[in-house]
Amino acid sequence: QVHLVESGGGLVQAGGWLRLSCAASGNIFSINDMGWYRQAPGKQRELVATITSGGSTNYAEYVKGRFAISRDNAKNTVYLRMNSLKPEDTAVYYCYAAVRTLETDFDSWGQGTQVTVSS
């Protein structure tokens, strides 16, 4: 069994910043891609950013230049630094990890952390 635990969400004013963290633990052999998605009220879950085990990154257009994803492979942890936050960034942010165990591969998701940006 694998668990992802997110932290770092909260309330911030527009223009401010937050740093999210997500640590994976459990029966892990390796982790391929890790990433962040978000879901605002009444909207579908959408991609924010992903990062491969080698450090290659991919960002949604609406966060490019403002958000930065990184990871620490030794700690099975992924981070999301969010700068210049806007009210439209308000959402529940979910991390995910493409996990490989000795038996199988699967995607594991965190429980989500609320980010609220006030205008």
Side-chain angles (χ1 to χ4, degrees), residues 87-110:
E88 52 263 44
D89 294 318
T90 295
V92 177
Y93 283 69
Y94 298 90
C95 72
Y96 90 95
V99 176
R100 171 164 289 179
T101 70
L102 291 178
E103 293 81 26
T104 188
D105 299 348
F106 59 92
D107 287 345
S108 183
W109 290 85

Side-chain angles (χ1 to χ4, degrees), residues 10 30 33 43 70 111:
S30 66
D33 290 1
K43 295 187 177 181
S70 60
Q111 80 285 354

Side-chain angles (χ1 to χ4, degrees), residues 2-19:
V2 175
H3 298 281
L4 270 61
V5 179
E6 298 126 333
S7 61
L11 173 64
V12 64
Q13 288 189 331
W17 64 273
L18 286 172
R19 184 178 187 242

